[in-house]
Amino acid sequence: MINVDSALKIILNDIRTLRGESAHLTESLGRVLAEDIYASSDIPGFDNSAMDGYALRALDTQNASKRIPKILNVIEDRRAGYISRREIKNGQAIRIMTGAVMPKGSDSVVMVEDTQRHGKDNVKIFNPVKRGDSVRRKGEDIKKGEMVLVKGTRLNSAHVGLLASLGKARVLVSRKPKIAILATGDEVVDVGGKLKPGELRSSNTYTLYSQILKCGGIPKNLGIAKDKPQMLEAKLRSGLDCDMILTSGGVSVGDYDLVKFILAKMGTNIRFWKVAMRPGKPLVFGLVKGIPIFGLPGNPVSSMITFDVFVKPAMLKMEGADDFSAKNVDAVLEEGITKRRGLRYFVRAITRWDDGVYFTRTTGPQGSGILKSMALANSLIVLPEEEENVDKGVRVTVRFLE
Ligand code: AMP
Ligand code: MG
């Protein structure tokens, strides 16, 4: 049995990043850039006014005061998008709007609130203006040729906006991984089916489906395989056109736990079986015909948590993301937890921020079949292998879900 860190290392070592494809900006949110982006132009593209006000020469406002304002001659009114043909000379100003090109001869803008119109053609300035005041300089945000976004960035709304302002309607992003899901078990029935005694519905199909979507993948539901070798193999083969395959159930030591057996029959290079963790111990990982395959445990909580700990980082690496580590915080434990040495525990928890400190408590009974306790949780308390019973009040590591 290997530990969580070694298992993750083995997995990531086997995962290759998918090649890029071109996507329109409207399809790019949440996807990972597969190219570095350099600015094709300056932003802003020209010197412009940061305020509604008057463009002028700072020198002309020296010694202006409330009592003795400077009076400038307004030679034109300009709106954003129009370029003035006039040049400002000594003692002159041009009425200007936010975003309008700075007129020739001007070096500053005074905002309209600090002025008073004086007759039709003049304006009173009450304070000296510093050269460059309220002017946004050409290239002050981004210089032409500068690298603005680095390959591996997961695009958010601000990134998308930046790309738009640089005129990039399409960008190279990595292909979305296609991921097969196969539920197994004689007792497992699809969500629409009628339950006979002893049967239950396949919640794993749908938790995995949504977890894959959440991580930017395209799920392919292969349905449910009974615990019969032929059916299991046939269904598994229908996932061989995917970038990754997930099975649920059939990997522990029960008499009908056939997944490992079938994988071996299909020539799978099994990298490991069983990880020192709770829940999720019976996890299997290998490569079938070169495709990474995870045999996830059947218990609903184990399935979700092994996805979060192993499948998610594997997917992120496939997508070319530059960061696939979990985000952890420190929290004060509000109740004691009993623990066995040697396993890493992932305890379903509710973690809250209170006056500068995170506090965390469990969602109650931690049986790995209790999906409700997962639904109540917003986080997992991660207790390291070497730890034994953990007391109330100590600091523990917490990772947030979703
Ligand atoms: P197994 O590892 O196949 O013995 O499954 C462990 C437990 O998980 C059993 O109680 C199964 O009934 C349950 N289980 C297996 N597959 C699913 C599934 N797709 N959805 C919900 N529960 C499942
Ligand atoms: Mg089973």
Side-chain angles (χ1 to χ4, degrees):
M1 191 157 65
I2 62 173
N3 66 33
V4 172
D5 291 335
S6 317
L8 189 56
K9 210 174 273 168
I10 291 170
I11 292 166
L12 291 176
N13 195 42
D14 275 334
I15 300 290
R16 300 282 158 265
T17 295
L18 302 174
R19 52 167 215 292
E21 65 184 18
S22 161
H24 189 264
L25 281 188
T26 52
E27 304 294 325
S28 69
L29 181 71
R31 299 187 64 181
V32 178
L33 260 185
E35 60 174 339
D36 292 328
I37 302 286
Y38 294 88
S40 51
S41 54
D42 284 328
I43 301 217
F46 46 88
D47 291 354
N48 69 90
S49 175
M51 295 283 177
D52 288 338
Y54 292 87
L56 44 71
R57 291 148 43 106
L59 211 61
D60 288 345
T61 66
Q62 263 185 354
N63 305 322
S65 68
K66 269 252 129 42
R67 219 163 51 80
I68 312 171
K70 293 280 173 175
I71 297 176
L72 302 180
N73 179 225
V74 182
I75 58 170
E76 198 176 20
D77 278 347
R78 270 297 116 203
R79 284 196 283 148
Y82 295 85
I83 297 174
S84 175
R85 276 176 302 269
R86 311 272 311 259
E87 181 172 349
I88 290 182
K89 303 241 167 52
N90 225 340
Q92 295 181 331
I94 286 181
R95 176 84 169 101
I96 196 170
M97 302 302 163
T98 306
V101 180
M102 288 296 288
K104 265 205 212 90
S106 68
D107 56 26
S108 324
V109 172
V110 59
M111 59 175 175
V112 72
E113 292 87 337
D114 291 345
T115 66
Q116 195 179 77
R117 200 69 179 222
H118 181 63
K120 191 172 152 304
D121 293 328
N122 294 301
V123 63
K124 286 182 179 170
I125 313 289
F126 299 101
N127 293 300
V129 176
K130 275 210 308 292
R131 218 185 136 85
D133 268 3
S134 301
V135 179
R136 300 190 286 218
R137 291 280 169 216
K138 175 179 160 74
E140 84 178 10
D141 299 344
I142 294 170
K143 286 258 179 308
K144 181 175 176 177
E146 177 184 326
M147 196 209 268
V148 274
L149 291 173
V150 60
K151 184 176 166 173
T153 304
R154 192 174 288 277
L155 295 175
N156 64 25
S157 316
H159 299 141
V160 173
L162 204 53
L163 290 164
S165 65
L166 291 169
K168 289 276 291 179
R170 305 191 70 88
V171 280
L172 201 63
V173 291
S174 52
R175 189 164 64 73
K176 292 180 166 209
K178 194 168 154 192
I179 311 220
I181 308 163
L182 177 62
T184 74
D186 283 344
E187 79 286 21
V188 180
V189 176
D190 198 9
V191 61
K194 249 198 144 61
L195 295 183
K196 292 205 275 292
E199 292 182 338
L200 53 89
R201 298 192 181 89
S202 178
S203 55
N204 292 350
T205 301
Y206 298 96
T207 46
L208 292 171
Y209 199 100
S210 51
Q211 284 177 297
I212 291 166
L213 283 178
K214 192 91 193 180
C215 293
I218 303 170
K220 177 180 178 185
N221 182 6
L222 305 181
I224 300 163
K226 299 286 175 201
D227 294 319
K228 308 222 168 24
Q230 272 184 345
M231 186 175 189
L232 198 55
E233 183 172 342
K235 293 254 185 198
L236 265 178
R237 285 190 184 279
S238 66
L240 290 175
D241 62 339
C242 292
D243 300 302
M244 193 189 282
I245 301 174
L246 310 180
T247 65
S248 113
V251 287
S252 19
V253 288
D255 289 344
Y256 296 97
D257 288 336
L258 294 170
V259 170
K260 267 194 304 116
F261 169 74
I262 296 300
L263 287 181
K265 184 167 172 276
M266 288 172 74
T268 305
N269 182 349
I270 293 186
R271 299 285 207 229
F272 62 78
W273 174 46
K274 285 191 179 172
V275 182
M277 64 191 290
R278 177 175 291 172
K281 192 166 90 181
L283 176 72
V284 184
F285 174 73
L287 297 173
V288 56
K289 319 268 179 224
I291 301 166
I293 180 159
F294 290 83
L296 305 178
N299 272 311
V301 176
S302 312
S303 162
M304 281 196 83
I305 289 179
T306 47
F307 183 99
D308 199 64
V309 175
F310 299 111
V311 182
K312 181 177 177 178
M315 281 185 65
L316 299 193
K317 182 164 182 200
M318 262 190 179
E319 293 166 20
D322 54 5
D323 179 18
F324 31 83
S325 55
K327 302 286 167 285
N328 294 331
V329 299
D330 254 15
V332 176
L333 189 60
E334 294 186 294
E335 64 188 285
I337 299 176
T338 52
K339 179 181 180 298
R340 230 186 75 190
R341 191 192 284 272
L343 301 177
R344 187 177 301 184
Y345 277 31
F346 295 88
V347 182
R348 283 139 271 167
I350 297 166
T351 303
R352 67 195 158 79
W353 178 252
D354 190 358
D355 204 15
V357 183
Y358 281 112
F359 291 91
T360 190
R361 64 190 157 81
T362 76
T363 54
Q366 294 288 313
S368 51
I370 310 173
L371 191 53
K372 181 178 154 189
S373 68
M374 195 72 190
L376 294 172
N378 66 356
S379 51
L380 299 171
I381 299 169
V382 185
L383 301 175
E385 289 78 352
E386 63 279 7
E387 202 100 55
E388 273 191 72
N389 296 349
V390 193
D391 295 330
K392 178 177 171 170
V394 303
R395 280 186 176 265
V396 290
T397 300
V398 163
R399 57 193 272 167
F400 284 96
L401 292 162
E402 302 275 316

